[in-house]
Amino acid sequence: MSRSHFEKVSAHAGAIITLLATVISFLVTISVPSIRAFDLVRISFRGFPSLDLSGIQIRLGIWGYCEGSIPSNEWVCVFRGYGYSSPFYSVGAYGNIQAEGGISKEWTRGLVVSASATAFLIITTIAALTKHHLIAALLSWLSGFLTFSFMGVNLALYLKLRPQMRYFDDFERIDLGAGFWMSLAVLILTLVSGFVLVVKHRRELTGVENGASSFSVLRGGFLSRFWQK
């Protein structure tokens, strides 16, 4: 890679990182039930093979949930929209169904913060591409804060459901879904892009981006006192 090509890539590093964070955040925001793989909380049940119920899994997302069987790959996804509630049922060994727990709207309303973070990341990307680097850096960190808040709501939902699951006879495990870990990646990317954009803004102010040598920049700054007669 030539030096000029490397400089061009590094010059747009902040915008590239921000764009990557925007794409990942957008996929998380779509979430379940539109994209089953990007769930927030995943609950697995052993089921009862004698009743043709085995490998049951519930995946919770921002806008709804999906329930299905892993062996048969048959899923039913329900779109509930903003702030949904959902009861959970336990299937007994004799096929009897009993309501054991669930989630209310208060625990899912905050998940919409992911959409706000995505919106700010889109604005951040535009600002970075139009060379408003300082504004883009501040917006990137704001998006990171919103993403961190979203992760907090996601974690609270997970901790809310975890103790309820012990009442289910066929309960196997509960995990944080792929959407949570994708949000962690977005958080890291927003912090890194904000730092890169601030450095880019600083370089422009000092004249490095306009062709001034590093030596001349230093002479105008801290080392200038040593050049005074």
Side-chain angles (χ1 to χ4, degrees), residues 54-212:
S54 61
I56 303 299
Q57 197 172 83
I58 298 176
R59 299 185 181 185
L60 303 178
I62 298 177
W63 313 107
Y65 57 89
C66 290
E67 181 178 356
S69 172
I70 300 298
S72 63
N73 197 29
E74 296 178 356
W75 293 86
V76 176
C77 295
V78 180
F79 180 84
R80 289 293 182 88
Y82 167 68
Y84 64 92
S85 60
S86 176
F88 295 132
Y89 299 92
S90 176
V91 180
Y94 298 99
N96 57 309
I97 300 177
Q98 297 178 346
E100 296 287 352
I103 53 174
S104 59
K105 295 180 179 180
E106 288 74 17
W107 294 93
T108 57
R109 284 174 179 168
L111 297 174
V112 75
V113 176
S114 177
S116 301
T118 303
F120 274 104
L121 278 171
I122 294 174
I123 300 174
T124 303
T125 304
I126 296 174
L129 292 174
T130 55
K131 298 185 178 181
H132 295 83
H133 299 122
L134 183 58
I135 296 176
L138 296 176
L139 288 173
S140 180
W141 287 332
L142 176 60
S143 302
F145 173 76
L146 293 175
T147 302
F148 180 77
S149 302
F150 167 73
M151 293 177 64
V153 177
N154 189 352
L155 185 60
L157 178 62
Y158 166 80
L159 295 176
K160 164 69 175 177
L161 290 171
R162 187 171 182 176
Q164 296 184 21
M165 294 300 105
R166 67 176 182 268
Y167 298 108
F168 289 72
D169 295 334
D170 57 337
F171 168 70
E172 184 175 4
R173 60 184 296 175
I174 179 171
D175 302 292
L176 290 167
F180 178 85
W181 303 111
M182 292 169 68
S183 298
L184 178 60
V186 172
L187 176 61
I188 296 173
L189 289 172
T190 53
L191 296 177
V192 172
S193 65
F195 174 76
V196 172
L197 289 167
V198 166
V199 172
K200 175 73 174 179
H201 175 72
R202 180 61 180 171
R203 286 169 61 88
E204 289 181 344
L205 288 181
T206 55
V208 174
E209 297 294 334
N210 295 324

